[in-house]
Amino acid sequence: MHSWVDGRPADALSLKDRGLAYGDGLFETIAVRSGKPLLLERHLQRLAEGCRRLALVTDPELVRSEVLAYAQALGEGVLKLILTRGDSLRGYAADPAAPARRILQGGALPAYPAAHAAQGVQLFPCTTRLSEQPLLAGLKHLNRLEQVLARAEWRDSDHAEGLMLDGAGHVIEGVFSNLFLVAGGQLLTADLSRCGVAGVMRGEILAQAQLQGIPVAITDISLEQLHQADEVFVCNSVYGIWPVLCCAGMRWSAGPLTRKLQGITRALLDA
Amino acid sequence: MHSWVDGRPADALSLKDRGLAYGDGLFETIAVRSGKPLLLERHLQRLAEGCRRLALVTDPELVRSEVLAYAQALGEGVLKLILTRGDSLRGYAADPAAPARRILQGGALPAYPAAHAAQGVQLFPCTTRLSEQPLLAGLKHLNRLEQVLARAEWRDSDHAEGLMLDGAGHVIEGVFSNLFLVAGGQLLTADLSRCGVAGVMRGEILAQAQLQGIPVAITDISLEQLHQADEVFVCNSVYGIWPVLCCAGMRWSAGPLTRKLQGITRALLDA
């Protein structure tokens, strides 16, 4: 499907765009089923938080209506929304009043092997560490070289995802997923106030766990805690939940809490 | 002047470019005088180091010949070269053999007030800290949100540049400059192995100091050392050297070593 730039069909971008020059912008990758963008409110909420923290000027209702219209036209697939700070003047300084540029792109849903969700996956232990930057932590911004470097660490298809730590060795997330572990009946996921992307599916799982009365903790997680966990899974808003079976000699099995939450997310994504 | 993409005139870029999607690339900003790109070997050397560390595939001789031809056509101004990993397939994974996309843009030399070089400048003390990422430190890559946030901290024209520290409070650099200080006859500049951009003019100044027999140290610099310095200056490959007069209550005057090095860099940039 044709991309849109600021609401109009386009397949090219100004060479002066600050998204290219500096990665000065944000993005969202949204699953679309039957013309509907899934988990839309959570995507728009994270985007709004990103706009606030980066001081990107945008009209939330315009963004919402464009996403709805684009998803309707796309039907089935993945919608990628990029907001950039528009064209560069000179250097890093920007016009604080300039409206953000809106880019919408559509593609097919990725064809992940069915076994990823059914049996579980193996994580590659990435040596690329996430740097600590509280001003950007949690946001899905366009500065993603760490993820590019981490993803380039493996090429085999045995590893469906990679495990990323921060500089201090805390367990943070996957390259394109968030990570949860289950320990003593409690659901744990990393504190993302210093690094990492606060995924939409992570937010949904935390909310669903609360509804189900499952105790949750958002906390620093050590490799030892990961090792000792009863269950481990990764998640994102496109594939839902994949149980994690092993990583760097550590082994787990797909357990009951993972399966329960997987059923809930599958229902959301098959909607 | 018209931009070039992969050697051909163009004013637009594929919406799938990984420079836009992830900031997956590098850039150089090169001063051009009388059709010649200044300090070209240093720019190409840093670019080659960036390509090596990001595993960007490029033909250095092709890049060099395009830069020379573009500078010839530009005559006077600033040439910006961007290399990106080309179009995205899906997600962070890239084709390791895909050649980098080459983007060349030209603009006028920036019209900085003559007083910046003649009298000196005031630095804004930025609260945005540089995060530590040894895998990217020193490179002029396209992930520049920290500089965008730092540059947005001041809008007045009293401050010509900003001062940036790392998370531990070490003095690192300006937003678009490197920083030097003179203490007891020695020239000091920050160690950039954990964060910062290893500027071409910084490299040139270090080489010139060595030629002149001026002792240099590349080291961690504290705010107290900055405070106690005899002279402070900032530099980049477009404006050369600006003496620093004050920052956050600290004061210095434009001293003899700054003036000596400024004369040398001026000769290089007026060539």
Side-chain angles (χ1 to χ4, degrees):
Chain A
M1 189 181 156
H2 230 91
S3 300
W4 294 358
V5 174
D6 288 342
R8 285 182 295 274
D11 28 40
L13 182 72
S14 160
L15 284 172
K16 300 259 176 232
D17 191 274
R18 292 174 63 98
L20 170 68
Y22 308 129
D24 191 5
L26 301 164
F27 71 112
E28 294 290 333
T29 306
I30 306 175
V32 174
R33 285 288 172 106
S34 311
K36 300 263 177 287
L38 306 183
L39 298 165
L40 179 62
E41 297 315 312
R42 290 193 180 273
H43 283 290
L44 293 177
Q45 204 172 7
R46 177 173 60 184
L47 196 71
E49 167 71 2
C51 287
R52 191 185 66 73
R53 284 163 63 188
L54 298 187
L56 271 179
V57 178
T58 192
D59 173 351
E61 285 314 308
L62 179 61
V63 171
R64 176 195 301 271
S65 67
E66 280 186 7
V67 169
L68 287 169
Y70 195 89
Q72 186 66 47
L74 182 64
E76 297 277 314
V78 174
L79 178 162
K80 183 166 180 176
L81 164 65
I82 301 177
L83 290 184
T84 77
R85 209 181 304 268
D87 275 8
S88 206
L89 310 168
R90 173 183 288 286
Y92 296 116
D95 173 0
R101 177 169 286 147
R102 309 174 305 281
I103 301 167
L104 284 164
Q105 300 174 297
L109 282 163
Y112 295 118
H116 286 7
Q119 275 95 63
V121 300
Q122 187 172 346
L123 301 187
F124 185 88
C126 296
T127 60
T128 302
R129 299 292 182 101
L130 293 162
S131 62
E132 298 193 9
Q133 177 49 272
L135 298 175
L136 299 174
L139 303 185
K140 203 163 172 90
H141 55 69
L142 297 175
N143 280 200
R144 300 263 75 105
L145 271 172
E146 291 176 343
Q147 281 71 27
V148 170
L149 291 177
R151 185 59 190 82
E153 290 190 43
W154 81 96
R155 289 191 198 149
D156 63 82
S157 57
D158 293 345
H159 298 89
E161 239 292 27
L163 173 68
M164 296 192 76
L165 313 180
D166 68 11
H170 300 113
V171 172
I172 304 295
E173 60 190 7
V175 177
F176 55 95
S177 310
N178 288 113
L179 184 133
F180 280 84
L181 46 98
V182 178
Q186 195 183 33
L187 193 62
L188 286 89
T189 193
D191 173 13
L192 303 181
S193 58
R194 299 182 309 266
C195 58
V197 177
V200 154
M201 188 54 87
R202 172 180 179 272
E204 182 65 28
I205 288 168
L206 289 170
Q208 292 287 347
Q210 199 146 27
L211 285 177
Q212 304 282 329
I214 301 163
V216 300
I218 297 170
T219 182
D220 285 344
I221 297 173
S222 67
L223 267 178
E224 185 54 27
Q225 278 176 288
L226 181 66
H227 196 166
Q228 300 299 329
D230 303 315
E231 306 174 32
V232 177
F233 64 87
V234 287
C235 65
N236 81 18
S237 64
V238 172
Y239 68 69
I241 284 179
W242 292 337
V244 177
L245 301 179
C246 58
C247 179
M250 298 178 281
R251 303 198 159 269
W252 309 275
S253 49
L257 193 46
T258 299
R259 292 304 190 191
K260 179 173 185 170
L261 291 165
Q262 193 178 35
I264 292 171
T265 62
R266 186 175 294 132
L268 289 167
L269 295 181
D270 287 348
Chain B
M1 186 181 158
H2 229 91
S3 300
W4 294 357
V5 174
D6 288 341
R8 286 182 295 274
D11 28 42
L13 181 72
S14 159
L15 284 171
K16 299 262 176 229
D17 191 273
R18 291 175 63 99
L20 170 69
Y22 308 128
D24 190 6
L26 301 163
F27 70 112
E28 294 289 334
T29 307
I30 306 175
V32 174
R33 284 289 172 104
S34 310
K36 300 262 177 286
L38 305 183
L39 298 166
L40 179 62
E41 297 314 312
R42 289 191 181 276
H43 283 289
L44 294 178
Q45 206 172 6
R46 178 174 59 186
L47 196 70
E49 167 71 2
C51 287
R52 190 185 66 74
R53 283 163 63 188
L54 298 187
L56 270 180
V57 178
T58 190
D59 173 351
E61 286 315 307
L62 179 60
V63 171
R64 178 195 300 270
S65 67
E66 281 186 8
V67 168
L68 286 169
Y70 195 89
Q72 186 65 46
L74 183 64
E76 298 277 314
V78 174
L79 178 162
K80 183 167 180 176
L81 165 65
I82 301 178
L83 290 185
T84 77
R85 209 182 303 270
D87 276 7
S88 205
L89 310 169
R90 171 183 291 284
Y92 294 117
D95 174 358
R101 177 169 285 148
R102 309 174 305 279
I103 302 168
L104 284 163
Q105 300 174 296
L109 283 163
Y112 295 118
H116 285 8
Q119 274 96 63
V121 300
Q122 188 172 345
L123 301 187
F124 185 88
C126 297
T127 59
T128 302
R129 300 292 183 100
L130 293 162
S131 62
E132 299 193 9
Q133 178 49 273
L135 298 176
L136 298 174
L139 303 185
K140 204 163 170 91
H141 55 69
L142 297 174
N143 278 200
R144 301 261 72 106
L145 270 172
E146 290 177 345
Q147 281 71 26
V148 170
L149 290 176
R151 185 58 190 84
E153 290 190 45
W154 81 94
R155 289 192 198 147
D156 63 82
S157 56
D158 294 346
H159 298 90
E161 239 293 24
L163 173 68
M164 296 192 77
L165 314 180
D166 68 10
H170 299 114
V171 172
I172 304 295
E173 61 189 8
V175 177
F176 55 94
S177 309
N178 287 114
L179 184 133
F180 281 85
L181 45 98
V182 178
Q186 194 183 36
L187 194 60
L188 286 89
T189 194
D191 172 15
L192 303 181
S193 58
R194 299 181 308 267
C195 58
V197 177
V200 154
M201 188 55 87
R202 172 180 179 273
E204 182 63 28
I205 288 168
L206 289 170
Q208 293 286 346
Q210 200 145 24
L211 285 176
Q212 303 282 328
I214 301 163
V216 301
I218 298 172
T219 180
D220 283 345
I221 296 173
S222 67
L223 266 179
E224 185 55 27
Q225 278 175 287
L226 181 68
H227 196 168
Q228 299 299 329
D230 303 316
E231 306 174 32
V232 177
F233 64 87
V234 287
C235 65
N236 80 20
S237 64
V238 172
Y239 69 70
I241 284 178
W242 292 337
V244 177
L245 300 179
C246 58
C247 179
M250 300 178 279
R251 301 194 161 272
W252 310 274
S253 49
L257 192 48
T258 298
R259 291 306 190 190
K260 179 175 185 168
L261 291 165
Q262 195 179 33
I264 293 171
T265 62
R266 187 174 293 130
L268 289 168
L269 295 182
D270 287 351

